[in-house]
Amino acid sequence: MTPTRIILDCDPGHDDAIALLLALASPEVELLGVTTVSGNHTIARTTANALRLLEFLDRTDVPVAAGAAGPLVRPRVIAEYVHGVTGMDGPDLPPPVGAPIERHAVQYLADTIRGYDGKVTLVPTGPLTNIALLLAMYPDARPERIVLMGGAIGEGNRTPAAEFNIWADPEAARRVFESGIETTMIGLDVTHQALVTHAHAERLRVAGRVGKVVGELLDFYLRFHELRWPELGGSPMHDPVAVLEVIRPDLLDVRPARIDIDCGWEQGRGRTNVDYRDREDGLPPNNRVAVGIDAEAFAELLIERISTLG
Ligand code: RIB
Ligand code: CA
């Protein structure tokens, strides 16, 4: 089976880093490149984290293109409180030796999508600023699909109403969800089921050089969730679940849905209003949303795939 060509648009970030590892370890996908965006941390930090991770993996063949330094409209807000001062605290990975490519992420996205006649799946796992800019600047460069980590049918995490990626740049999210491109939302409803625990971290720690680094990422990441979300019993693998949708869609229950973004400035900011129940007076579906996940199978697959990275 021909691997699906993907570009990971990310803000590493602990879970973005694990999503990158999962993509590199999965024969179902060909990772064409990585684009970075401000989100979990500044664009300088998220770009440096992507570079140093790829250098650690000896995969500098995968290009990194730096993107937007902040949202389209709103002031930039980063999530250092979750990911630490480096944006990827925990492992002692050396600073990057290399640099991102010259082209801006949006130009790289447009060139690559055009180069493959649109047969590319975008996997955004941070705020959607780069994707919105792509749609605005290069409307001809439309990817085949978008599978994004963001939003929530239910409770948010940055606010009760909204998940961080959407909350950070609601205008960008609205442009993406209204683009008409087949877009699948991987929200907190499934990622809060896709948990890794200390027991998983211990298995990974002895699974090789890469597993040891993932164990160190999780040691740091688990501390945040034990404080803020103790009822979960682990750390949600938000971004790896977006990669899972591409490599093993059978492990997810995805439904057609109408998804609208609240671009207000009050409590509803960044809310994803999701209707997948075909409600009376509801609008027809414009996207897809994940409503269920085989969480145990996901966790085992994650450990198995990361263990193959040596
Ligand atoms: O709300 C979770 C999302 O925000 C994840 O993508 C995490 O990496 C942060 O970007
Ligand atoms: Ca992310």
Side-chain angles (χ1 to χ4, degrees):
M1 178 158 164
T2 310
T4 302
R5 296 187 192 98
I6 70 168
I7 298 171
L8 184 65
D9 182 72
C10 57
D11 59 339
H14 290 70
D15 54 328
D16 302 76
I18 297 170
L20 175 55
L21 297 176
L22 180 59
L24 289 172
S26 297
E28 299 87 347
V29 296
E30 178 189 352
L31 181 62
L32 298 176
V34 173
T35 51
T36 56
V37 65
S38 164
N40 284 323
H41 218 288
T42 62
I43 190 63
R45 293 273 196 218
T46 59
T47 304
N49 289 337
L51 287 166
R52 62 195 199 148
L53 203 56
L54 287 166
E55 288 173 11
F56 170 71
L57 294 161
D58 198 20
R59 288 303 308 269
T60 53
D61 58 297
V62 177
V64 174
L72 297 181
V73 173
R74 317 247 173 177
R76 184 190 73 190
V77 174
I78 62 176
E80 186 171 307
Y81 60 97
V82 180
H83 299 275
V85 293
T86 69
M88 208 164 72
D89 280 16
D92 185 19
L93 291 177
V97 172
I101 61 172
E102 285 294 312
R103 281 174 289 167
H104 188 277
V106 177
Q107 186 67 62
Y108 170 79
L109 287 165
D111 294 347
T112 308
I113 291 167
R114 286 169 176 154
Y116 285 103
D117 295 327
K119 296 203 176 344
V120 174
T121 293
L122 296 188
V123 183
T125 61
L128 292 163
T129 316
N130 289 337
I131 315 305
L133 289 169
L134 170 72
L135 295 169
M137 293 169 66
Y138 305 105
D140 66 296
R142 290 170 70 86
E144 199 163 42
R145 295 184 65 216
I146 297 172
V147 184
L148 63 90
M149 191 281 138
I153 301 167
E155 180 184 4
N157 58 3
R158 171 68 193 196
T159 71
E163 178 279 326
F164 174 78
N165 287 338
I166 310 300
W167 178 89
D169 197 342
E171 286 78 15
R174 176 176 285 183
R175 181 175 278 275
V176 172
F177 280 100
E178 292 183 356
S179 69
I181 297 167
E182 187 206 295
T183 299
T184 302
M185 174 182 134
I186 305 294
L188 298 180
D189 322 280
V190 293
T191 68
H192 274 187
Q193 297 178 55
L195 301 167
V196 289
T197 64
H198 283 292
H200 292 129
E202 290 318 306
R203 288 173 59 190
L204 282 160
R205 208 185 306 280
V206 297
R209 174 175 168 267
V210 176
K212 178 176 177 294
V213 165
V214 175
E216 292 164 352
L217 285 168
L218 293 175
D219 289 343
F220 183 88
Y221 201 41
L222 278 158
R223 279 199 290 272
F224 171 76
H225 291 102
E226 283 160 355
L227 278 173
R228 183 69 62 82
W229 296 82
E231 73 279 10
L232 291 180
S235 279
M237 288 290 98
H238 302 295
D239 300 335
V241 178
V243 173
L244 179 75
E245 196 276 356
V246 185
I247 64 176
R248 287 290 305 275
D250 59 301
L251 296 183
L252 287 165
D253 180 358
V254 175
R255 310 282 178 85
R258 174 77 197 191
I259 303 177
D260 293 288
I261 310 298
D262 184 329
C263 290
W265 292 79
E266 307 300 331
Q267 283 80 359
R269 166 182 169 171
R271 170 123 191 86
T272 46
N273 285 306
V274 181
D275 181 4
Y276 68 97
R277 298 186 186 281
D278 195 17
R279 289 178 171 83
E280 288 68 24
D281 305 326
L283 294 170
N286 59 352
N287 293 287
R288 295 165 10 112
V289 65
V291 297
I293 183 171
D294 184 336
E296 194 175 329
F298 161 71
E300 290 307 313
L301 178 76
L302 184 65
I303 293 171
E304 173 211 318
R305 292 289 167 94
I306 286 175
S307 303
T308 67
L309 290 171

